[in-house]
Amino acid sequence: MTPDAVYVGSPPAADGGCVRLSADGLQALDLDGSRMWAWEGLHSAVVEDVPAEGPAGRAPKFLGSMVSAAVGAFLGEGPPEMTLRLETEYGPEELKVHAAAAGGYGAEEAALSQDLLARFVARTANPRVLEAWGREHGLEGTPKPHVREALLRTWAEG
């Protein structure tokens, strides 16, 4: 989340590619332009290939992710990619998004994120809540994993 938008994965990559959430639906931006799916036209939205947080702990993992990011930048690679699979009223769609958490996501955070995305599709939750949080806290940087989980839990249950 940034002060301006809520994303599936990271904010726009160097090529401008991203998937933005809004009260109206999902918007994919990439080199081919922009595509929009209204929540009413979505049957499901599932993120796959989510990079998992390693069992070794956060501090060594953080150092490893920094080294991996530096090597990836040197080799011209970006952050890990995830797949957003949509079932729309017109058929399936597949979008690539970049992971926002450099060291991967914990199982609880990933599950809560999936639950919240499913609630957006079912229209039992609204991304406006996340947009409001982003406007207020988006410049503070990415919250720690336990804070992200608490926020997701509140939003998924809300």
Side-chain angles (χ1 to χ4, degrees):
M1 286 176 274
T2 68
D4 301 324
V6 176
Y7 300 94
V8 175
S10 71
D15 64 4
C18 67
V19 175
R20 189 178 320 176
L21 300 174
S22 73
D24 297 324
L26 287 163
Q27 180 184 24
L29 302 168
D30 57 30
L31 296 174
D32 296 328
S34 173
R35 293 173 286 161
M36 178 81 180
W37 295 271
W39 293 118
E40 294 80 20
L42 288 174
H43 302 294
S44 68
V46 177
V47 180
E48 298 177 347
D49 309 318
V50 177
E53 180 178 86
R58 296 183 198 267
K61 181 176 56 63
F62 178 74
L63 180 57
S65 69
M66 295 299 289
V67 170
S68 294
V71 169
F74 178 74
L75 296 175
E77 298 173 0
E81 280 191 348
M82 303 183 293
T83 304
L84 175 59
R85 295 193 193 283
L86 305 176
E87 284 298 327
T88 76
E89 59 190 334
Y90 302 109
E93 295 280 348
E94 183 177 295
L95 306 166
K96 294 295 182 186
V97 296
H98 291 105
Y105 301 92
E108 182 72 9
E109 181 178 3
L112 288 166
S113 296
Q114 296 281 11
D115 290 346
L116 186 57
L117 188 56
R119 289 199 60 214
F120 293 154
V121 171
R123 292 173 302 289
T124 58
N126 192 311
R128 285 189 174 123
V129 174
L130 282 69
E131 290 170 344
W133 188 92
R135 280 190 300 276
E136 190 172 327
H137 301 283
L139 292 176
E140 297 170 10
T142 303
K144 302 272 187 225
H146 71 280
V147 174
R148 291 193 311 260
E149 285 180 17
L151 286 167
L152 285 164
R153 192 171 291 105
T154 299
W155 295 329
E157 294 169 356

